[in-house]
Amino acid sequence: MADTEHEFVRSQMLPALAPPSSQVGAVRWMRENLFSGWANTALTLISAYVVIHFLWGMAPWWLHAVWNASSLPDCRKIIQTDFGPHAEGACFAVVHERWKQLLYGFYPDTEYWRPNLALILMLAAIAPILFSHLPRKLLAFSALYPFIGYWLIWGGTIWFPVSALLGFVIGGVVFKLLAEKSAVVAAGAGIVIAALWWMFGESWLEAALHAALPISLPSVESRDIGGFLLSIIIGVSGITLSLPLGVLLALGRQSNMFFIRSVSIGFIEFIRGVPLITLLFTASLLLNYFLPPGTNFDLILRVVIMVTLFAAAYMAEVIRGGLAALPRGQYEAADALGLDYWKAQRLIIMPQALKISIPGIVNTFIGLFKDTTLVVFIGLLDPIGFINAIRATSEWNGIYWELYIFVGALFFVFCYGMSQYSMYLERKLRTDHR
Amino acid sequence: MKTTVFLGIAASACLMAGAASAGTLDDVKQAGELKCGVTTGLAGFAAPDSNGVWQGFDVDYCRAVAAAVLGDPTKVKFVPTTGQTRFTALASGEVDMLARNTTWTFSRDVDLKFTFVGINYYDGQGFMVPKKLGVSSAKELDGATVCIQTGTTTELNLADYFKANNMKYEPVPIETNAEAQQQFLAGACDVYTTDRSGLAATRATFAKPDDYVVLPEVISKEPLGPLVRQGDDQWADVVRWVSNALVEGEDLGITSANIEELSKGTNNPEINRILGTDPGFGKMLGLDEQWAKRAIAANGNYGEIFAANLGESTPIGLSRGLNALWTQGGLQYSPPFR
């Protein structure tokens, strides 16, 4: 046996060499993504030039920003003394001085804690709706929130929202009592009795309770509510009310019952055929003539109703898209299990249809939230309305970008938040049919 | 066209609404608050300050009326209205009076069923150009590009003026005054045209106002004034004579500084009649005898209101011009208090 066949046997592996510098890290990434050919290289260079040029032009404006000044000429003077006679700069002092109006409108200074608290409670109220791993008992608070929020923002006696809430309780009890016999009759009776309560019983109870135990906050008029507070009130109420209404309309449109189907189709097509601004003008102007003189039908409430109806029509079509995407087998499976219509919808159809419609639903929500700025045309002072008003004062006349950038940034935060939530929801609910 | 039909409906509905309610004066007294329609924001005329308190020329008129009727110039609820909502807000009773730099025209007075109670500001359309354009008269503007707000009377006036002078222009349509300022400064148009008060206010906001001039030509009449619903003559009289009292106050030298002194009695019988030292006029109007005294004391007389909001010491810096008293070559003139 020859035992020296091999002069040398490596008993250990050599450590791997570092890859060449052109194949790692940023250099490789740039070669692959930015300079992978002459066309891409040219495009990269052009884009880089445009971006740098743009930033170069903007940078002084941002860097020279002034945060403390009493007026625009004052601002310009500060910039010129600090950065030379031809310097230009942003004057964010206007935001510093007027942020309260941009956020709260004419809401009284001493009561700012109320909208703040309402906002925090609102987050607490929507959390259990948005995130399913939170305890389900929190939903009770969500249901109570509209009344708490109303009382906090508008103030007045606490017994008004309490007795209004009682209407829902009475309607619910009636529904429960009759539900055994027929769900439709029970729902109808519940609604009628609740409506009767609101028309006749409510104000009496409110007065009686208020006399017995006067708990109240100083009331704030709708005219004093403005700025982002107004946008959020209109946006959030529109969003939360339009989804259930949209579901009902979408189901109504697919219903076999002629009357319900034609009413739903008529409503959806009418609303979709009319611009939102027309509905807002109707709310603010025409209703004044149709209502009996002396009726005080709150303007914000009118706007919320119109915005909700508008969004609900779009929502109905989005959800109909989800319903149409479901295979027939799902409906038949529900029937085969012996589920009635409402159970089938609740347990089988809607969870799937809504999941499919998430991007469309969130799209409608974001659109609705941004559409709230249209109320500026009927004289309500939302953030855009306040920009006009602030620009009309002698101190700030002539300012432009700073205010729009501020308001734009706030809207972006909200809309981006909604969009991120929808992404999260899609990921969570993905059951992968791929 | 659409607007006309719409406003027509609004106007006819207003008649019904007007018939249904009692006198506005009684309504205001009962509510303890004057609902006054103002703009959502126009430099010098109406805008909220940083404390949320409305300030401006039109605002001071609302305050004067509130002082006369309710005895307190702060008892005004300002309702911001836009160009589209202002007339329906008045017609439907959402506001008691409009002080919203509204031009008195035939159709608004007659067709829309409003009563203009007077003219508190004589405005007119003018032109602003950069100085480096080297233009000193509007007659030299042939071929210019003009920034013009769409859907306003200024657009029509502009077309008429250029046609009458056999000149051509290229319109740059814009939506708002804010947009106009940006476009004009960026050089998108050679000329910016709107009411001269607006031009002065806009020019005052520029970083270098001296680089721009307002041309001397005035190409339209824009008489602005407060208005009320037609058919309530008592209320119209109240607002009209409050306006007149402010002008007459300036004419007679009654200022917010000397009003207390003068109200003790003077040897000028007209001052005594206005200030209620010689009683009688307040009762005729359905108010108490101190009404005009309070109206003038609220913000001063017409001259003081003008100086505080629009005059040469403010950033807007308007001279009195047509708005000087008749004794000083202007048009401001009050019928006698007799």
Side-chain angles (χ1 to χ4, degrees), chain B:
Chain B
M1 173 62 206
K2 256 188 202 160
T3 330
T4 324
V5 172
F6 182 67
L7 291 175
I9 296 170
S12 50
C14 121
L15 277 183
M16 293 183 280
S21 68
T24 312
L25 180 60
D26 294 331
D27 290 349
V28 172
K29 279 181 180 169
Q30 201 187 353
E33 188 178 55
L34 173 74
K35 287 171 287 176
C36 194
V38 293
T39 71
T40 49
L42 180 70
F45 285 90
D49 68 8
S50 55
N51 299 318
V53 181
W54 286 84
Q55 308 284 357
F57 185 79
D58 284 338
V59 169
D60 284 351
Y61 265 77
C62 300
R63 294 231 164 88
V65 173
V69 175
L70 300 167
D72 185 349
T74 61
K75 288 197 172 149
V76 188
K77 186 164 124 190
F78 291 101
V79 179
T81 55
T82 67
Q84 287 89 26
T85 62
R86 55 183 165 181
F87 295 125
T88 26
L90 179 60
S92 68
E94 198 183 337
V95 298
D96 302 314
M97 63 178 279
L98 265 189
R100 194 203 173 278
N101 73 320
T102 301
T103 308
W104 186 351
T105 66
F106 181 90
S107 59
R108 285 171 181 175
D109 197 338
V110 177
D111 189 30
L112 294 184
K113 310 271 186 259
F114 294 126
T115 299
F116 283 81
V117 298
I119 297 171
N120 60 8
Y121 189 87
Y122 289 90
D123 213 337
Q125 190 177 342
F127 299 99
M128 177 161 59
V129 294
K131 228 175 217 168
K132 64 172 189 284
L133 207 62
V135 171
S136 60
S137 157
K139 299 260 163 62
E140 302 166 27
L141 288 176
D142 196 7
T145 50
V146 183
C147 278
I148 176 86
Q149 277 188 46
T150 50
T152 59
T153 47
T154 51
E155 195 179 12
L156 307 173
N157 296 334
L158 177 76
D160 288 354
Y161 180 78
F162 272 72
K163 199 171 177 192
N165 286 291
N166 207 9
M167 300 192 295
K168 282 190 169 34
Y169 69 100
E170 197 180 320
V172 179
I174 38 133
E175 272 302 315
T176 63
N177 189 40
E179 193 189 341
Q181 293 183 11
Q182 293 298 315
Q183 297 281 5
F184 182 61
L185 280 179
C189 48
D190 305 323
V191 188
Y192 176 37
T193 178
T194 185
D195 290 352
R196 283 168 64 90
S197 62
L199 288 180
T202 303
R203 180 171 168 269
T205 69
F206 292 167
K208 298 190 183 77
D210 293 337
D211 292 356
Y212 301 88
V213 284
V214 176
L215 299 177
E217 280 84 359
V218 181
I219 65 165
S220 72
K221 289 186 283 189
E222 306 282 346
L224 311 178
L227 57 154
V228 297
R229 284 181 290 275
Q230 190 166 309
D232 188 348
D233 290 350
Q234 188 191 19
W235 177 242
D237 282 345
V238 168
V239 182
R240 175 177 300 121
W241 284 95
V242 168
S243 298
N244 287 340
L246 296 177
V247 174
E248 191 71 2
E250 187 184 11
D251 208 353
L252 295 171
I254 309 172
T255 65
S256 50
N258 67 11
I259 192 163
E260 286 300 330
E261 186 65 26
L262 292 176
S263 64
K264 286 181 189 145
T266 64
N267 49 17
N268 182 336
E270 188 155 20
I271 295 183
N272 293 348
R273 280 195 295 270
I274 290 187
L275 296 182
T277 328
D278 271 354
F281 279 11
K283 191 153 173 275
M284 293 181 208
L285 206 50
L287 301 170
D288 63 1
E289 296 300 336
Q290 308 291 310
W291 64 277
K293 181 189 163 191
R294 286 193 307 265
I296 299 175
N299 311 288
N301 61 38
Y302 179 82
E304 290 175 84
I305 293 176
F306 191 100
N309 297 303
L310 305 167
E312 278 159 345
S313 61
T314 66
I316 297 174
L318 286 167
S319 60
R320 288 289 289 270
L322 286 178
N323 297 296
L325 287 183
W326 62 288
T327 49
Q328 290 154 24
L331 292 173
Q332 289 296 346
Y333 181 100
S334 161
F337 278 70
R338 180 165 290 281

Side-chain angles (χ1 to χ4, degrees), chain A residues 72 76 97-98 101 106 221 223 281 284-286 288-289 293 376-379 381 386 389 391-394 397-398 400-401, chain B residues 6 10 13 40-43 47-50 52 54 77 79-80 82 85 88 91-92 94 178 181-182 201 205-207 315:
Chain A
L72 183 60
R76 285 178 178 150
E97 198 183 274
R98 295 297 187 100
Q101 283 181 0
F106 297 129
E221 281 188 56
R223 274 277 167 207
F281 273 127
S284 90
L285 302 176
L286 282 182
N288 276 357
Y289 295 119
V376 69
F377 291 108
I378 55 170
L381 291 174
F386 261 107
R391 287 168 40 81
T393 58
S394 51
N397 195 340
Y400 192 76
W401 295 106
Chain B
F6 182 67
T40 49
L42 180 70
D49 68 8
S50 55
W54 286 84
K77 186 164 124 190
V79 179
T82 67
T85 62
T88 26
S92 68
E94 198 183 337
Q181 293 183 11
Q182 293 298 315
T205 69
F206 292 167

Side-chain angles (χ1 to χ4, degrees), chain A residues 310-327:
Chain A
F310 186 79
Y314 281 84
M315 193 61 72
E317 288 299 281
V318 168
I319 293 170
R320 192 169 66 93
L323 290 174
L326 275 194

Side-chain angles (χ1 to χ4, degrees), chain A residues 244-267:
Chain A
L245 204 54
V247 169
L248 288 181
L249 281 171
L251 291 178
R253 191 168 186 161
Q254 300 214 320
S255 166
N256 294 326
M257 286 179 269
F258 173 76
F259 179 71
I260 290 184
R261 189 174 65 235
S262 25
V263 166
S264 301
I265 291 179
F267 178 85

